[in-house]
Amino acid sequence: MSQSRILTFNIFRYDPQQPGDKPAMVQYQLEETPGMTVFIALNRLRAEQDPSLQFDFVCRAGICGSCAMVINGFPTLACRTLTAKYADGNITLMPLPGFELIGDLSVNTGKFMRELAERLKLWLHPDETQHDIHLIEKPMDPEEAAKLYELERCVECGVCVSACATAQMRDTFVGAVGMMKIARFELDSRDARSAEDFYHVIGTQDGVFGCMTLLGCQDNCPKDLPHMQQIAYLRRKMAGTLITISKA
Amino acid sequence: MKLIYTDALVVGAGLAGLRVAIAAKERGLDTLVLSLIPAKRSHSAAAQGGMQASLGNTTKGDGDNEDVHFQDTVKGSDWGCDQTVARMFAHCAPKAVRQMANWGVPWTRVTAGPRQVVVNAERITIEEAKAAHGLINARDFGGTKKWRTCYTADGTGHSLLYAVDNKAISLDIPVHERIEALKIIHDGKRCHGVIARCLITGELRAYIAKSTTIATGGYGRIYEVSTNAIICEGVGQALALETGVATLGNMEAVQFHPTAIVPVGILTTEGCRGDGGLLRDRNGHRFMPDYEPEKKELASRDVVSRRMTEHMRKGLGVDSPYGPHLWLDITLLGRKHIETNLREVKEICENFLGIDPADEWIPVRPTQHYSMGGIRTKPTGESPQLTGLFSVGEAACWDMHGFNRLGGNSLAETVVGGMIIGSYVADFCEQQDLVVDTALVNQFASELQGEIDTLCSGGAGENAFELKSLMQRIMMDHVGIFRNGPELEVAVTELKELLQRSQNIKLKCTKRHANPELVEALRVRRMIKVALTVACGALARTESRGAHAREDYPQRNDKDWLCRTLASWPDADALTPTLSYEQLDVMQMELPPGYRGYGADNAIAHPDTAKRQDEIATIVAGLGSNASREQVQQAIMPFELPQPLRAGNQRLHDSFAKSASAANDATFSKGGKNS
Amino acid sequence: MAIKSSIRKLSAWLDLSQSLSGVILAVFLWTHLVLVSSILLGGDAMNWVARNMELSFLSSDGHGYPWVVTCIAISIAAIALVHVIVALQKLPMSLRQQRALQQQIQVINHGDTRLWRWQAITGVVILLLLPVHLWLIGSSPETIGPLGSAARIWNQGVWMVYLPLLLMVELHAAIGIYRVALKWGAARNLNTRSRLRKIKTIMSVVFVALGVASLLAFLPHAG
């Protein structure tokens, strides 16, 4: 490691509960240490310079999805963003747009996700009476299990919603996170819902037909989930319900 | 102040807490969960490797059953666990795995036919049975006789947490997010709920409930470097401690995981070694076989961590600006395996180390990982001292882990323990009435309000952030993997001093609503108390058992220390906890103390051990040769379970066994890969 | 066998018709430009194309039916109208939405979102300019030959409409086709997507160049 440098942080500060407070960008300076992440930097700023600075971290390992924020124009997980990535040493931090602001860099993604799950019924709807837990489990195609896990890797960080101009313009839009989860349950052979059932949930302007394919979700998802393919798949599937061919 | 009433209150929305809430809600009880964070962000999500359950679907798990799982767990615990609880657990683990499949977990499944695996640094081919195709797969983990760890790639905790939280949402269980419980409301005998603070508005609320379940996870963050999420600060344990009545069990039993990356301390799963990864030193030498010729990298975690530390002390670690470390080599597993089954590991290596683990070795060293200790409970999950106070998961000392937990048993404990204890919680709520004692509620609320007022009163005082980092440093330096009397004395003295200083914390930011400094201050004085229970417990325990390794007392001493440490804090102004001990009765054990099969074999025997062994032999002989293994087990150590969980577990090899029971016995007696 | 289609699923129909009308318009546009660019081969070549457009091979006197051109103009106007009505649903109509979009683009750096904003802006400009073009052609269908066109473009100064229209429409169409392809799943992976994006840019550049060259090629024919 060469001589350590001084990083300049421009951080969005606003406490909506503090009467008279106005949004502002505040500058902080911090000496960089080897392997420093935005997580380490923010904690040091809070401990050493400004104890009122609000932000959210939980696992600090890129697993839980708590710490998404906009770093130099890109929404991403702060805990796994190395400061060394920014050659000029200037780092601008903004809260994720499109979520209720708790304060500074902290936004209420949890509330958004829970409401979304309730609205879209994002849980497994089993196809029969539950399989007896004392007996050997029902087999599942190993390929199917692997594919399900691929789609299930979403950490609900909110990046896709903040990176989506459609979601910003329309509060009721379900966003890539909602569609990814629907795609996951649609694929699951244990889920009894039909394409028709899913149409009622996402076959709307707030769902797959409101998506304008701007692909902010695809380009920023920290878990590299295949949003583009999955949304296209759902769109075809939902459009497929327009015409039903019955053998009657 | 707002008063909120419910039947079953759960503090903590990780896997264990949610599972209890679901059990209560399914019985028609009003249920409410409090959480510091959105439920799906809980630390349960970080468990990568898997959960142990003796399904025995894979060839390498053939012959597995509750008995083998039980024995592995007891040996892993270094005979420190409650064997009845270990039995309850081993019996219900397969049920929990199968239930999770019903709730949507996409368990990795067995593919029939040959597959290549790496065992002992060699690629071998194993053949999976046709009948097992599509059933739940398992991988190898340390300290187990069979391949028993069920998994979904390397995101098992994530998949489980999402499935369980989705289930909770489908049942309409409210989770009050960003709420921190800070006081338990109790009258010395009965727990009535908690006083909690909203982290957004700062408002104090009283949650009054028939049952209160603490499921707040471990206390890893009392250490400077830990694999734990930053919210695992032991505040749940501190709540119980501060009642002055409830006890914490085995707080000195702290696990260090062998392979956390250097320097940030993020975990790479045990699955890395389970799937065939190796540990190497500065010369690239694979050193574990030198110490543990049988189990090698897959001895239990306490043993591997100690061997690694020993090796580094010999100067064979790799030097780095952050001190010495060793290498974890998974390159031999091949890129495809890493990119599918160890993908989370790959991401972590890329993002935090800038390396590709398919080509390069990973810098690792043992790091604080798990808290075996916690709120002491009975097998029902209830505190022996405070009626209505329950605890579950890592927060509790239900005590299936004793002094060392096996990999894959913690994730299992959350859902299995949650399932069993949830049922007992529901029973309790059905039998009890809600007690509302407003005076009592107000008393605890005003205590908390007073604490906050003092902190926010301005003026000069101690800095909460500084005290926390001092405490973490003390724990790192003096209460680590290897411990000794003088060091522990230093730790206790310094922690006591910190506790005193923490009475004088003053905030710079005096906002009453969302204020990170206030949150820190409220936590840090509680954390120091928890740290003191760990340090004092470790100082008092003059033996080595499982993860508790005393250099000055290297032997496991069953004669004097076959007991559980209990810590309580009856005098709020005291600077140290009160310790007492609960004996483990050898005469009640199914598996009397013996050699673990790895690590040092230097235990001082308990006088009852031989007696109990004879007694067991007599019992078994008395049953005759036709007795089933269930009958034998019941005769030696009967255990209770909620009625719906008592049935046996069906397994693939049981159905084969009926036609060829002799052949099956032969498989079973072989007992696994190393014997 | 019974084929049943659901008319109640309005959102799906809207989305489908936006994509479909867009594709038809783009295909027409590009064909149209290729035909017009026949002027680059000389007045005779273009005359030949124009006569065939009027279906002269069907009429006995070889003069064809200029009203065919009017019909084409009317059909295109109709399809464009559908496209506009459906697309308007997606545009930020309220001030609040516009502000949200503006803020999002400011805070978040994302190429395809900026591209979409260009598509929206060009769409609005096209909405203003296209009717002029369609009216001019539809109302005097007999003037689509080299002389008529040259007179209109250069003598009557309609190039001031055509030049911006050309730029707008070529940007809009290429971006639109790129998006329709992604929307319905033509790109299985990210490589295909970046290839599509390149093709899109090339299409825009090539057709703008072709269009400008054609406009200039009319200059010698203007009296």
Side-chain angles (χ1 to χ4, degrees):
Chain A
M1 264 296 158
S2 56
Q3 195 82 43
S4 66
R5 54 181 185 160
I6 301 293
L7 298 172
T8 303
F9 286 89
N10 282 292
I11 301 180
F12 175 88
R13 299 296 310 266
Y14 177 50
D15 181 353
Q17 292 183 76
Q18 186 76 5
D21 198 26
K22 287 206 177 68
M25 297 301 292
V26 178
Q27 209 175 73
Y28 301 87
Q29 313 244 299
L30 191 67
E31 193 181 320
E32 191 175 35
T33 51
M36 183 182 255
T37 58
V38 174
F39 160 72
I40 297 172
L42 282 173
N43 274 290
R44 276 192 49 197
L45 287 177
R46 176 145 89 189
E48 294 163 17
Q49 301 188 24
D50 190 338
S52 67
L53 186 57
Q54 293 186 60
F55 47 79
D56 295 318
F57 287 97
V58 177
C59 77
R60 62 84 179 84
I63 292 166
C64 75
S66 300
C67 63
M69 57 181 75
V70 186
I71 307 180
N72 286 359
F74 295 95
T76 189
L77 300 180
C79 70
R80 62 176 209 190
T81 302
L82 294 163
T83 54
K85 201 175 137 185
Y86 303 100
D88 66 354
N90 287 320
I91 298 174
T92 300
L93 303 177
M94 303 280 290
L96 279 191
F99 295 96
E100 177 189 310
L101 182 76
I102 293 173
D104 304 337
L105 301 171
S106 172
V107 292
N108 208 338
T109 46
K111 188 175 160 196
F112 177 96
M113 295 299 170
R114 168 93 189 204
E115 283 168 4
L116 187 73
E118 286 172 357
R119 196 174 119 207
L120 302 186
K121 304 201 186 315
L122 298 176
W123 55 83
L124 190 80
H125 291 53
D127 50 0
E128 52 183 80
T129 48
Q130 298 253 311
H131 189 74
D132 188 340
I133 59 172
H134 309 303
L135 302 182
I136 293 175
E137 64 275 13
K138 274 212 301 207
M140 174 187 263
D141 176 24
E143 286 294 312
E144 181 192 332
K147 273 191 207 144
L148 283 176
Y149 177 67
E150 281 305 298
L151 301 187
E152 205 178 65
R153 290 170 46 253
C154 168
V155 295
E156 299 194 354
C157 61
V159 161
C160 58
V161 176
S162 74
C164 174
T166 312
Q168 300 301 309
M169 291 187 290
R170 231 194 340 261
D171 297 334
T172 46
F173 183 61
V174 301
V177 53
M179 288 188 268
M180 181 55 71
K181 281 163 187 282
I182 291 287
R184 180 241 173 276
F185 290 111
E186 202 274 335
L187 181 72
D188 197 325
S189 60
R190 295 168 295 191
D191 198 292
R193 283 172 287 186
S194 64
E196 201 65 36
D197 295 330
F198 287 118
Y199 189 98
H200 289 298
V201 183
I202 54 157
T204 62
Q205 288 297 320
D206 284 335
V208 73
F209 296 118
C211 164
M212 302 192 293
T213 322
L214 308 182
L215 300 180
C217 52
Q218 176 74 62
D219 296 335
N220 292 286
C221 176
K223 292 285 154 185
D224 293 325
L225 291 171
H227 294 291
M228 180 174 73
Q229 292 97 313
Q230 288 308 319
I231 296 173
Y233 167 77
L234 281 181
R235 182 178 278 115
R236 292 197 304 271
K237 189 97 189 170
M238 294 300 107
T241 67
L242 283 179
I243 293 171
T244 44
I245 300 171
S246 59
K247 285 199 176 135
Chain B
M1 187 180 53
K2 200 147 118 192
L3 280 83
I4 295 162
Y5 304 95
T6 185
D7 294 332
L9 175 69
V10 179
V11 184
L15 272 173
L18 288 174
R19 186 63 191 81
V20 167
I22 290 168
K25 184 79 179 190
E26 283 187 327
R27 295 263 289 268
L29 295 158
D30 190 49
T31 306
L32 202 157
V33 183
L34 307 184
S35 178
L36 291 176
I37 51 167
K40 285 192 172 83
R41 311 227 185 283
S42 303
H43 190 48
S44 307
Q48 301 165 12
M51 81 173 255
Q52 286 201 43
S54 57
L55 298 179
N57 291 326
T58 168
T59 306
K60 286 289 207 176
D62 191 29
D64 201 5
N65 58 35
E66 298 86 356
D67 298 348
V68 190
H69 190 183
F70 165 78
Q71 287 157 10
D72 283 345
T73 303
V74 175
K75 288 177 188 171
S77 80
D78 221 356
W79 276 273
C81 72
D82 181 330
Q83 296 197 4
T84 313
V85 168
R87 258 299 167 189
M88 295 163 75
F89 162 74
H91 182 80
C92 294
K95 303 181 199 308
V97 167
R98 288 163 174 169
Q99 182 168 61
M100 289 302 129
N102 289 346
W103 293 3
V105 172
W107 295 110
T108 298
R109 304 286 173 143
V110 176
T111 307
R115 71 170 164 135
Q116 287 226 312
V117 295
V118 177
V119 175
N120 194 16
E122 277 173 52
R123 259 179 201 283
I124 62 162
T125 304
I126 58 174
E127 179 86 17
E128 295 291 3
K130 218 171 179 171
H133 185 78
L135 299 183
I136 295 169
N137 208 346
R139 57 164 46 136
D140 199 7
F141 253 36
T144 64
K145 277 207 146 131
K146 302 283 180 185
W147 289 26
R148 187 189 296 128
T149 306
C150 308
Y151 63 103
T152 52
D154 65 353
T156 319
H158 171 89
S159 286
L160 281 171
L161 181 61
Y162 273 53
V164 171
D165 186 45
N166 289 344
K167 178 79 180 176
I169 296 172
S170 77
L171 292 173
D172 206 15
I173 296 173
V175 178
H176 289 197
E177 291 172 5
R178 295 180 191 262
I179 300 285
E180 177 159 32
L182 287 165
K183 285 263 178 211
I184 286 176
I185 305 166
H186 69 97
D187 53 18
K189 286 196 183 67
R190 171 85 162 86
C191 167
H192 300 295
V194 299
I195 308 284
R197 176 174 175 270
C198 173
L199 297 178
I200 299 177
T201 63
E203 169 202 23
L204 296 190
R205 301 174 187 172
Y207 287 90
I208 297 157
K210 292 179 182 174
S211 74
T212 304
T213 306
I214 307 285
T216 49
Y219 45 87
R221 284 286 157 180
I222 59 174
Y223 286 83
E224 186 177 30
V225 184
S226 164
T227 64
N228 288 188
I230 58 166
I231 52 164
C232 301
E233 301 191 299
V235 173
Q237 285 84 0
L239 291 185
L241 197 61
E242 287 195 326
T243 59
V245 187
T247 52
L248 305 185
N250 285 347
M251 291 297 281
E252 66 271 30
V254 174
Q255 181 174 77
F256 288 76
H257 192 289
T259 59
I261 63 171
V262 177
V264 284
I266 295 169
L267 184 74
T268 59
T269 169
E270 184 153 329
C272 290
R273 282 170 294 132
D275 291 1
L278 306 176
L279 292 169
R280 299 184 187 278
D281 65 14
R282 65 181 305 158
N283 304 316
H285 172 64
R286 181 187 176 197
F287 59 91
M288 276 307 291
D290 305 345
Y291 297 101
E292 296 293 332
E294 272 196 17
K295 287 278 190 173
K296 306 178 183 76
E297 281 82 358
L298 286 174
S300 68
R301 288 177 176 174
D302 57 326
V303 172
V304 179
S305 289
R306 273 199 298 277
R307 297 305 194 188
M308 288 170 76
T309 310
E310 235 178 296
H311 203 67
M312 286 190 284
R313 284 182 174 181
K314 289 182 187 163
L316 291 163
V318 185
D319 290 320
S320 82
Y322 306 97
H325 65 76
L326 293 159
W327 299 114
L328 171 64
D329 173 10
I330 58 170
T331 58
L332 71 164
L333 306 184
R335 180 170 296 278
K336 184 168 177 273
H337 183 89
I338 293 172
E339 285 178 356
T340 50
N341 285 320
L342 298 170
R343 175 176 187 151
E344 214 56 70
V345 173
K346 185 170 184 279
E347 266 186 31
I348 287 167
C349 288
E350 285 168 351
N351 291 318
F352 295 94
L353 297 169
I355 65 163
D356 179 351
D359 293 332
E360 290 166 87
W361 296 346
I362 309 167
V364 295
R365 84 174 146 223
T367 302
Q368 192 289 332
H369 178 59
Y370 189 79
S371 320
M372 274 77 73
I375 300 170
R376 178 68 188 131
T377 71
K378 302 185 274 192
T380 55
E382 192 177 15
S383 161
Q385 293 85 20
L386 269 185
T387 318
L389 176 68
F390 289 78
S391 184
V392 64
E394 193 176 347
C397 181
W398 188 34
D399 219 4
M400 55 168 279
H401 304 306
F403 275 77
N404 175 63
R405 167 179 76 76
L406 293 183
N409 261 357
S410 60
L411 201 53
E413 184 188 11
T414 61
V415 282
V416 178
M419 185 179 196
I420 298 170
I421 291 167
S423 175
Y424 288 125
V425 165
D427 290 347
F428 178 88
C429 292
E430 280 171 359
Q431 292 152 10
Q432 300 287 322
D433 291 322
L434 191 69
V435 184
V436 186
D437 180 342
T438 330
L440 197 65
V441 172
N442 285 335
Q443 176 203 323
F444 283 97
S446 59
E447 272 178 31
L448 182 60
Q449 189 61 59
E451 188 181 351
I452 293 171
D453 290 344
T454 316
L455 286 169
C456 293
S457 63
E462 298 286 349
N463 177 319
F465 296 101
E466 193 190 321
L467 293 187
K468 181 169 163 188
S469 92
L470 284 171
M471 169 198 66
Q472 292 174 324
R473 199 67 249 168
I474 295 168
M475 295 303 286
M476 272 318 258
D477 291 345
H478 308 298
V479 200
I481 297 182
F482 283 105
R483 302 164 174 179
N484 63 55
E487 298 256 356
L488 290 168
E489 296 272 11
V490 172
V492 171
T493 314
E494 291 185 356
L495 286 171
K496 275 158 71 178
E497 202 179 301
L498 279 189
L499 183 59
Q500 235 159 357
R501 285 174 65 184
S502 74
Q503 303 307 322
N504 192 30
I505 295 176
K506 284 277 151 46
L507 303 185
K508 278 195 271 211
C509 171
T510 54
K511 282 197 292 201
R512 299 300 179 109
H513 62 270
N515 177 356
E517 195 186 9
L518 176 57
V519 173
E520 196 79 349
L522 287 168
R523 284 179 195 171
V524 73
R525 46 173 66 160
R526 290 169 168 79
M527 290 172 80
I528 295 172
K529 284 187 179 170
V530 171
L532 269 160
T533 62
V534 177
C536 292
L539 178 61
R541 185 173 281 271
T542 49
E543 65 149 357
S544 291
R545 182 181 297 275
H548 173 68
R550 285 282 297 254
E551 288 164 309
D552 41 357
Y553 298 93
Q555 287 175 297
R556 188 180 89 202
N557 184 349
D558 292 335
K559 187 161 75 73
D560 303 312
W561 285 103
L562 196 60
C563 59
R564 190 172 292 119
T565 310
L566 297 179
S568 63
W569 208 291
D571 174 8
D573 298 325
L575 291 178
T576 46
T578 301
L579 298 183
S580 60
Y581 293 91
E582 180 186 349
Q583 294 303 316
L584 302 184
D585 186 358
V586 176
M587 295 312 288
Q588 300 295 320
M589 287 183 185
E590 182 176 342
L591 193 64
Y595 176 49
R596 299 167 89 188
Y598 43 81
D601 181 13
N602 61 357
I604 301 169
H606 190 280
D608 285 348
T609 302
K611 207 162 57 171
R612 177 62 176 162
Q613 272 160 350
D614 291 345
E615 193 178 73
I616 292 173
T618 317
I619 295 173
V620 175
L623 288 170
S625 56
N626 289 332
S628 68
R629 63 180 179 85
E630 289 85 0
Q631 285 168 326
V632 173
Q633 196 285 319
Q634 276 296 317
I636 300 173
M637 189 185 76
F639 63 96
E640 286 292 308
L641 272 174
Q643 208 283 324
L645 301 175
R646 283 182 204 159
N649 297 303
Q650 191 193 26
R651 283 185 190 80
L652 212 50
H653 61 81
D654 291 341
S655 39
F656 300 149
K658 283 194 183 108
S659 55
S661 73
N664 196 48
D665 284 350
T667 321
F668 179 66
S669 64
K670 263 191 269 157
K673 53 194 183 295
N674 290 312
S675 42
Chain C
M1 281 273 268
I3 297 178
K4 210 175 84 188
S5 73
S6 169
I7 48 160
R8 281 175 306 144
K9 293 175 175 173
L10 189 63
S11 299
W13 286 118
L14 290 179
D15 205 38
L16 253 179
S17 42
Q18 190 191 357
S19 292
L20 213 61
S21 60
V23 170
I24 294 172
L25 289 172
V27 170
F28 172 80
L29 167 74
W30 289 330
T31 319
H32 160 57
L33 244 174
V34 169
L35 294 178
V36 169
S37 69
S38 59
I39 188 69
L40 294 170
L41 302 175
D44 291 344
M46 192 182 184
N47 253 325
W48 182 83
V49 171
R51 277 205 308 277
N52 276 303
M53 286 296 293
E54 293 164 357
L55 307 180
S56 61
F57 49 88
L58 290 183
S59 67
S60 47
D61 58 357
H63 279 106
Y65 313 100
W67 52 264
V68 172
V69 174
T70 309
C71 288
I72 294 176
I74 291 170
S75 326
I76 291 303
I79 298 174
L81 191 66
V82 170
H83 192 70
V84 167
I85 291 171
V86 183
L88 278 179
Q89 313 247 331
K90 302 273 165 83
L91 291 184
M93 301 306 282
S94 73
L95 197 63
R96 195 202 66 79
Q97 285 182 315
Q98 280 160 16
R99 220 179 271 144
L101 177 68
Q102 186 58 31
Q103 208 213 337
Q104 208 255 357
I105 286 182
Q106 257 172 20
V107 173
I108 289 175
N109 177 0
H110 185 245
D112 271 31
T113 303
R114 284 193 296 269
L115 213 54
W116 173 80
R117 192 169 56 167
W118 279 115
Q119 203 186 356
I121 293 169
T122 52
V124 172
V125 177
I126 294 167
L127 182 62
L128 300 175
L129 299 183
L130 184 66
V132 180
H133 176 46
L134 288 176
W135 174 254
L136 291 175
I137 301 295
S139 60
S140 39
E142 66 289 350
T143 64
I144 65 165
L147 293 175
S149 298
R152 181 165 53 247
I153 295 166
W154 293 113
N155 299 343
Q156 297 165 24
V158 176
W159 65 270
M160 283 185 286
V161 174
Y162 280 11
L163 195 63
L165 182 62
L166 174 74
L167 281 173
M168 295 297 137
V169 93
E170 291 306 340
L171 279 177
H172 188 89
I175 300 173
I177 293 293
Y178 161 74
R179 203 177 302 290
V180 166
L182 298 183
K183 203 171 191 178
W184 295 93
R188 285 286 153 99
N189 55 49
L190 297 179
N191 284 338
T192 328
R193 176 171 160 213
S194 65
R195 212 172 309 137
L196 283 175
R197 216 182 136 130
K198 264 184 218 130
I199 296 173
K200 164 204 78 77
T201 312
I202 294 171
M203 291 291 267
S204 287
V205 171
V206 166
F207 279 106
V208 168
L210 195 67
V212 171
S214 304
L215 282 177
L216 291 175
F218 281 113
L219 204 48
H221 298 273

